[in-house]
Amino acid sequence: MTDVPSILRAHAEVQHAEELAALARSDGRPRPPNWRLSPWAVATYVLGGETPDGTPITPKYLGSRRLVEVAIATLATDRALLLLGVPGTAKTWLSEHLAAAISGDSTQLVQGTSGTAEEAIRYGWNYARLLAEGPSRGAMVASPVLRAMESGGIARVEELTRIPSDVQDALITVLSEKALPIPELDDEVQALAGFNVIATANDRDRGVNELSAALKRRFNVVVLPLPEDADSEVEIVRLRVSQLGETLRLPAELEAVDEIRRVVTVFRELRDGVTADGRTKIKSPSGTLSTAEAISVMTSGIALAAHFGDGVVRASDIAAGLHGAVVKDPVADRLVWQEYLEAVVRERKPWSDLYRACRELV
């Protein structure tokens, strides 16, 4: 009998179906039209908690409750939501879970790139049917935005500022009129109640394809910050690394909190340009050194420990990941990393193993 391959990463609404069902059963609060859950239940799903019948809900996003509440309240109005922040602040992660909790479908997704065409936001054509039948609804290929309009769901647009400006503006009519004209058919699609858009963009892309004033007015912007303190960031990394370890079936010791704390400390100090005690100023590299990258460094370390070690994550397992995360520019960042190793890591006696491991790579 052939084993059925397992899905590497299920969509949020599939992965957390039991929690969503438990929240729906016990959710007696008012729900906006076509929402699967009330705004309160959506917040509980995202931030974690417990249903009235005692079912535990795991946190999906560790951050400001108020910011999440503002995001949810925005989606209950006629304004779209723009999640803005530096890379690695869980914008995509949050947008997926919001869509899963609100409409039960997080897959209506437009991935923004410099090559994204207007058809990705409006509609395209099945040219075989177009030639055979002429223009018709059957010959149309609906975009994720159009499908969300027809179902009263949430459409997601990733990396909005990477999409060319003239393509971005295809959203203006959709967001203002809640309708999408189809001039070829002398028709239009009107959005059902519940339809809205969650877009994401990162601070470092400002000026790439700046949003027009008309489009900006259609969005309520929620800025997602980096974690406020080291303890919060350590907990975020620990939670996600544990989840990824289970998904990837890595037979390693997943509670490597000491190593997580070291990685987080290195990232925060290099981001801030000063050591945690405030005594030593250091140079910052060109990369963002986000929480997402810290998760990647630890996941890589777990894989090394699992497959080439004894299953316990050590300094030698995370050194390569740290080097790769910090040194994006082979000249400037390499000097920054070397100076940090000599001026900071070397002086911390408990970090002598990390210093040796990193120096071997340098």
Side-chain angles (χ1 to χ4, degrees), residues 171-199:
L171 282 170
I172 292 176
T173 301
V174 170
L175 297 181
S176 59
E177 304 298 328
K178 301 298 186 285
L180 181 61
I182 309 174
E184 296 92 340
L185 304 180
D186 192 22
D187 197 0
E188 68 174 3
V189 172
Q190 293 182 302
L192 295 184
F195 164 74
N196 215 325
V197 172
I198 305 174

Side-chain angles (χ1 to χ4, degrees), residues 156-172:
R156 299 166 54 211
V157 181
E158 290 296 312
E159 303 290 356
L160 180 60
T161 51
R162 290 197 172 277
I163 298 175
S165 298
D166 57 331
V167 178
Q168 292 175 7
D169 286 345
L171 282 170
I172 292 176

Side-chain angles (χ1 to χ4, degrees), residues 237-238 240-246 248-256 259-260 295-314 317-318:
V237 175
R238 186 201 64 77
R240 285 293 296 132
V241 167
S242 179
Q243 293 170 345
L244 285 169
E246 292 176 7
L248 299 173
R249 299 179 184 178
L250 294 174
E253 187 265 302
L254 300 179
E255 300 296 325
E259 297 303 335
I260 291 174
I295 292 168
S296 177
V297 169
M298 286 306 307
T299 304
S300 174
I302 287 175
L304 282 170
H307 298 302
F308 301 102
D310 59 3
V312 177
V313 181
R314 294 184 171 84
D317 299 313
I318 64 172

Side-chain angles (χ1 to χ4, degrees), residues 70-127:
V70 169
I72 296 168
T74 295
L75 294 170
T77 70
D78 63 346
R79 288 177 67 82
L81 173 65
L82 175 60
L83 299 176
L84 187 68
V86 300
T89 47
K91 300 181 296 296
T92 298
W93 183 256
L94 181 57
S95 75
E96 178 186 359
H97 284 286
L98 286 173
I102 291 170
S103 60
D105 184 4
S106 63
T107 64
Q108 305 300 346
L109 173 67
V110 176
Q111 179 59 59
T113 69
S114 60
T116 299
E118 193 171 300
E119 288 80 2
I121 292 175
R122 299 178 73 243
Y123 54 84
W125 296 98
N126 179 327
Y127 288 102

Side-chain angles (χ1 to χ4, degrees), residues 31 272 311:
R31 307 179 187 184
D272 297 341

